[in-house]
Amino acid sequence: MIELAENRYGKSRVRLMKVTRHAHDHDLREWTVQVLLKGDFETAHLDGDNSKILPTDTMKNTVYSLARTSKATAMEDYAKELVDFLLGRNPQVSSASVRIESTMWKRLTVDGEPHPSAFMRGSGELQTTSVERAQGGNFHILSGLDNLVLLKTANSGFEGYIKDSLTTLSETKDRLFGTAVTAEWHYTSPDLDFDAVRTNLREAMLRTFANHNSKSVQQTLYAMAESALEAVPAINEIEITMPNKHCLLVDLSRFNQDNPNEIFVPTDEPHGYIEARVRRKS
Ligand SMILES: O=c1[nH]c(=O)c2[nH]c(=O)[nH]c2[nH]1
């Protein structure tokens, strides 16, 4: 005997750019949206009966139509509206989830002045949120960031680790520390000034990365998580991944040159992979 164990479906990578036209300047948002529905779709899988299937094409159209009418500025608030719109119209849906990745656009500075209608892609960093709600249930909001690429050229060392017959790594008091941060945190309230909270959290992590006297990626990751939890009472837990993007000191002695920590080879692969979930003690 075979049965349908679990299923969900929806539309992925729906790309949306929204321009909000104020009298004197414009705001720009670029969001990539994923909509996923769970529910009573057994007859579609077993019998080919599509009578309970909302087409994924309609979900895509919903993303655009709701973006037109929504007053939400934070992507978390827009995602909540989209989830409720889909649940409200589709009783066969037991839960809806919306994930949004937001691309960083920064206002262009021209002749020292912020330009009202010209923008520059900030970086490859993404701001993310996943909002889920079951029919009659509460919102579950998991926000985060991805590919926040950082590097520090001082206050990072790595010493005192295990040395065995396979060790080749030299201890160092002074190395480059490069990483691409991914973080995710769950909000304990569904009603927050999400953009302000996100800014606080991100700035707390950046400040700690910059100022921390790092004995390892692990220690700095923990300190960044701690500062995020201190800065944002509306989260109880944060998960952070920080690859160690090694920058290797080049041996210039073959050319009778010294290398006082100035010339490096940046490497992507292989890289260290450091991950931790840090939470308030209950
Ligand atoms: O900060 C570090 N943590 C490690 O676990 C590790 N391992 C390694 O080879 N280099 C580093 N650096």
Side-chain angles (χ1 to χ4, degrees), residues 166-268:
L166 296 175
T167 307
T168 57
L169 186 72
S170 303
E171 295 194 307
T172 176
K173 287 187 192 313
D174 191 10
R175 65 174 181 177
L176 301 196
F177 179 172
T179 189
V181 182
T182 301
E184 252 186 343
W185 54 87
H186 171 242
Y187 288 120
T188 53
S189 162
D191 298 303
L192 294 166
D193 183 346
F194 291 104
D195 284 346
V197 168
R198 177 183 288 281
T199 300
N200 280 347
L201 190 152
R202 187 173 170 279
E203 281 178 4
M205 290 211 296
L206 291 177
R207 187 180 308 114
T208 301
F209 176 81
N211 293 338
H212 192 239
N213 197 355
S214 175
K215 296 196 181 308
S216 66
V217 175
Q218 286 88 334
Q219 191 204 14
T220 302
L221 182 157
Y222 186 85
M224 288 167 71
E226 204 173 26
S227 64
L229 287 162
E230 275 164 14
V232 178
I235 67 169
N236 283 332
E237 192 170 285
I238 183 164
E239 184 164 333
I240 302 181
T241 306
M242 286 174 47
N244 189 1
K245 301 278 188 115
H246 308 291
C247 291
L248 309 177
L249 193 69
V250 180
D251 178 8
L252 297 177
S253 62
R254 290 167 294 173
F255 318 124
N256 287 324
Q257 288 179 297
D258 67 352
N259 187 359
N261 251 351
E262 290 194 359
I263 309 299
F264 296 85
V265 192
T267 62
D268 273 331

Side-chain angles (χ1 to χ4, degrees), residues 43-267:
T43 49
H45 291 83
L46 273 62
D47 307 330
D49 171 3
N50 292 332
S51 57
K52 291 179 179 163
I53 294 290
L54 180 74
T56 67
D57 191 63
T58 310
M59 297 179 203
K60 174 208 57 179
N61 294 341
T62 308
V63 166
Y64 294 118
S65 173
L66 210 70
R68 172 71 185 100
T69 52
S70 174
K71 296 276 172 284
T73 52
M75 59 180 175
E76 285 85 353
D77 288 320
Y78 168 76
K80 281 164 56 187
E81 286 180 30
L82 189 51
V83 162
D84 276 352
F85 185 94
L86 291 162
L87 288 176
R89 285 202 174 188
N90 293 279
Q92 80 282 19
V93 171
S94 58
S95 76
S97 79
V98 168
R99 178 175 170 83
I100 303 178
E101 294 175 355
S102 174
T103 305
M104 299 274 265
W105 283 100
K106 288 186 178 153
R107 194 173 293 287
L108 246 180
T109 300
V110 176
D111 297 330
E113 295 290 327
H115 196 280
S117 57
F119 301 85
M120 181 170 65
R121 264 292 285 274
S123 71
E125 181 186 348
L126 295 173
Q127 308 300 314
T128 63
T129 193
S130 297
V131 174
E132 184 162 13
R133 182 178 216 172
Q135 291 280 9
N138 297 322
F139 281 114
H140 186 268
I141 305 177
L142 194 65
S143 287
L145 55 83
D146 195 18
N147 198 33
L148 169 59
V149 178
L150 302 175
L151 189 136
K152 57 193 266 160
T153 56
N155 300 318
S156 167
F158 187 59
E159 298 174 284
Y161 46 82
I162 295 169
K163 280 120 202 152
D164 62 18
S165 60
L166 296 175
T167 307
T168 57
L169 186 72
S170 303
E171 295 194 307
T172 176
K173 287 187 192 313
D174 191 10
R175 65 174 181 177
L176 301 196
F177 179 172
T179 189
V181 182
T182 301
E184 252 186 343
W185 54 87
H186 171 242
Y187 288 120
T188 53
S189 162
D191 298 303
L192 294 166
D193 183 346
F194 291 104
D195 284 346
V197 168
R198 177 183 288 281
T199 300
N200 280 347
L201 190 152
R202 187 173 170 279
E203 281 178 4
M205 290 211 296
L206 291 177
R207 187 180 308 114
T208 301
F209 176 81
N211 293 338
H212 192 239
N213 197 355
S214 175
K215 296 196 181 308
S216 66
V217 175
Q218 286 88 334
Q219 191 204 14
T220 302
L221 182 157
Y222 186 85
M224 288 167 71
E226 204 173 26
S227 64
L229 287 162
E230 275 164 14
V232 178
I235 67 169
N236 283 332
E237 192 170 285
I238 183 164
E239 184 164 333
I240 302 181
T241 306
M242 286 174 47
N244 189 1
K245 301 278 188 115
H246 308 291
C247 291
L248 309 177
L249 193 69
V250 180
D251 178 8
L252 297 177
S253 62
R254 290 167 294 173
F255 318 124
N256 287 324
Q257 288 179 297
D258 67 352
N259 187 359
N261 251 351
E262 290 194 359
I263 309 299
F264 296 85
V265 192
T267 62

